[in-house]
Amino acid sequence: MMSKEDIAFLTEEEQQEVKLKFLGFRQGLVGVGPIRHLLPSHCTAFTKKYQNFKFCESDVVIATFPRSGTTWTQEIVWTMRNGLDFKTASNVSLNVRSPFFEFDSIYAMHKDIRPDLVAKFLSRHPDGDPKTDGLFLELAEMAPSPRTIKTHLPFSLLPPDILETCKVVYVARNPRDVCVSYYHHQTALETSEFIGDFPDFVDLWCRDLYLQAPFWGHLKEALAKRQHRNLLFLFYEDMKENLMRELKRLNAFLGTGLTEEQLQQVAEHTSIGQMKNRPSVNPPANAYTERARKEGKQDFIRKGTIGDWVNYFTPELETKFQAWLETGGEVAGEISFKYHAEQADTLRK
Ligand code: PPS
């Protein structure tokens, strides 16, 4: 357990608002660690375990703020490190091939965990409690080597020596598109079940009142480590603009030694069209809310474009978001985010 000082509690009003708007967060959210990273309150059973997790040299961690291209990068990195094993990629869920490190903290406590996962967990721990003993953390621990692990935790909640131990691929994406993508995700998935509209979501975003907020703190911690030899810093927009260029950077960073032709195959295998239609990289139907299922919005992998935000931001929302963008201060200044596809071939700072 973390000490009391490491946990920041929302005000009563904030907590009520969160519980009213996100039906999945019945127990409310708490802020953890120096940047007050918001997680469902049951996370306190796990946070120390995250910091003490034993990563090893052959691990690669895909660390991102939510909705920044994690799944795409996981599928790319897993495929590159597993000899382009397209068959396993199709047959085995990405969640098993590349586990979600902190998912024990995120899933809705009042919902059931997949029975097959529970049965396996109980066969190893007959007296254990899959909801409080870290079933998903154990999946990460037991993932076959070489492990490719997904996390949205900021660096301050990961083991302090993580970059001395293994490689980390950090992916950043412009916050306007992240906000739109996250709104859809939080609405459609039952772990969160957001019931507000987009302006409500922007309002919560601008006050850092949503799962795994805040955006700037997360990015600031990663930027501070950008020059580390074991950190590769990627941008979603750069991947969209010229995937082969970014795959070559990954090939060098990971030491995978793939040929140009093999990288082309990875690019095809991880195109949005292919990934949208591959069940193994999409959540099962019961991960979505009943409403999302009825409305056919089971779109964890959605549009995959740069600049969809223009379809959502009214002038009023734009003014509000602009004020929030300015709170990014130095961090925002250090990165020139690309907000439009046609901007994506300009040189980045
Ligand atoms: S999550 O839930 O936080 O892990 O989401 P994450 O995977 O980070 O981000 C989801 C967004 O990435 C888009 N996506 C892709 N874009 C391009 N190519 C591929 N192959 C791809 N796969 C996923 C996905 O559609 C989400 O963005 P939006 O804007 O919602 O479409």
Side-chain angles (χ1 to χ4, degrees):
M1 299 274 279
M2 293 202 108
S3 64
K4 274 197 184 125
E5 305 80 74
D6 294 323
I7 306 291
F9 295 95
L10 304 184
T11 65
E12 195 56 41
E13 295 80 58
E14 286 173 336
Q15 200 68 279
Q16 280 310 325
E17 204 177 341
V18 164
K19 288 183 192 173
L20 268 177
K21 290 278 158 56
F22 296 90
L23 302 188
F25 306 144
R26 281 192 195 169
Q27 279 84 21
L29 300 175
V30 290
V32 193
I35 68 163
R36 199 179 182 251
H37 182 75
L38 285 195
L39 287 170
S41 55
H42 66 273
C43 73
T44 51
F46 303 107
T47 41
K48 261 281 169 281
K49 292 184 182 174
Y50 299 146
Q51 287 187 310
N52 291 330
F53 188 84
K54 297 274 170 272
F55 284 100
C56 64
E57 205 184 335
S58 58
D59 291 335
V60 171
V61 176
I62 315 293
T64 57
F65 190 80
R67 307 308 285 171
S68 299
T70 330
T71 317
W72 188 14
T73 311
Q74 281 174 280
E75 189 68 334
I76 289 171
V77 170
W78 186 90
T79 307
M80 291 177 69
R81 301 210 314 141
N82 286 275
L84 278 62
D85 183 355
F86 300 131
K87 196 168 162 211
T88 305
S90 294
N91 294 338
V92 180
S93 159
L94 184 62
N95 285 334
V96 173
R97 289 183 285 122
S98 173
F100 188 177
F101 191 57
E102 69 272 21
F103 197 62
D104 290 296
S105 294
I106 288 172
Y107 80 87
M109 277 294 258
H110 55 282
K111 305 272 182 184
D112 291 333
I113 303 178
R114 263 174 52 187
D116 56 323
L117 295 181
V118 172
K120 273 194 195 151
F121 181 84
L122 291 176
S123 71
R124 289 190 298 271
H125 309 280
D127 301 322
D129 178 345
K131 289 201 170 174
T132 54
D133 291 349
L135 180 155
F136 293 96
L137 194 59
E138 193 179 89
L139 279 184
E141 207 172 314
M142 293 180 15
S145 182
R147 300 184 300 192
T148 300
I149 294 173
K150 155 184 174 172
T151 187
H152 296 314
L153 292 180
F155 271 102
S156 53
L157 297 184
L158 292 168
D161 62 349
I162 189 166
L163 284 173
E164 306 310 321
T165 315
C166 68
K167 292 190 164 117
V168 177
V169 178
Y170 188 91
V171 190
R173 184 182 190 187
N174 85 69
R176 287 189 172 103
D177 281 333
V178 169
C179 180
V180 169
S181 180
Y182 211 7
Y183 158 68
H184 285 287
H185 174 271
Q186 292 289 282
T187 305
L189 272 292
E190 71 161 11
T191 45
S192 43
E193 202 170 352
F194 179 67
I195 55 163
D197 56 17
F198 183 63
D200 291 333
F201 193 77
V202 171
D203 188 55
L204 292 163
W205 175 284
C206 292
R207 292 183 290 139
D208 294 333
L209 270 184
Y210 57 90
L211 183 70
Q212 304 206 271
F215 181 90
W216 291 124
H218 199 282
L219 193 60
K220 185 176 180 179
E221 290 189 353
L223 271 180
K225 300 181 187 299
R226 193 172 178 180
Q227 303 308 331
H228 196 289
R229 69 185 191 292
N230 272 344
L231 178 69
L232 181 69
F233 205 106
L234 301 177
F235 286 91
Y236 179 89
E237 292 79 13
D238 291 349
M239 292 166 67
K240 286 292 299 181
E241 181 217 343
N242 188 339
L243 185 58
M244 280 304 282
R245 180 190 61 211
E246 302 305 307
L247 291 184
K248 284 176 191 166
R249 290 181 67 204
L250 269 167
N251 202 22
F253 177 71
L254 301 171
T256 31
L258 300 177
T259 63
E260 173 109 14
E261 197 185 324
Q262 286 174 315
L263 293 179
Q264 285 286 2
Q265 286 177 279
V266 172
E268 272 164 45
H269 172 73
T270 59
S271 69
I272 184 136
Q274 289 216 16
M275 283 185 58
K276 238 180 179 329
N277 292 315
R278 189 149 65 238
S280 63
V281 292
N282 285 275
N286 64 5
Y288 293 94
T289 63
E290 208 181 311
R291 188 172 147 205
R293 287 198 295 264
K294 273 191 194 143
E295 293 176 359
K297 290 192 175 152
Q298 291 158 251
D299 51 4
F300 178 83
I301 297 182
R302 203 178 57 95
K303 284 193 178 171
T305 55
I306 305 171
D308 190 33
W309 64 271
V310 298
N311 300 313
Y312 290 84
F313 279 82
T314 59
E316 293 75 37
L317 291 180
E318 182 52 31
T319 305
K320 197 169 193 164
F321 206 77
Q322 193 56 45
W324 171 82
L325 280 173
E326 280 157 27
T327 66
E330 272 174 32
V331 187
E334 211 175 306
I335 288 186
S336 35
F337 277 116
K338 294 170 180 175
Y339 288 103
H340 303 278
E342 60 274 19
Q343 227 184 310
D345 55 359
T346 52
L347 266 186
R348 183 179 295 287
K349 270 196 228 169

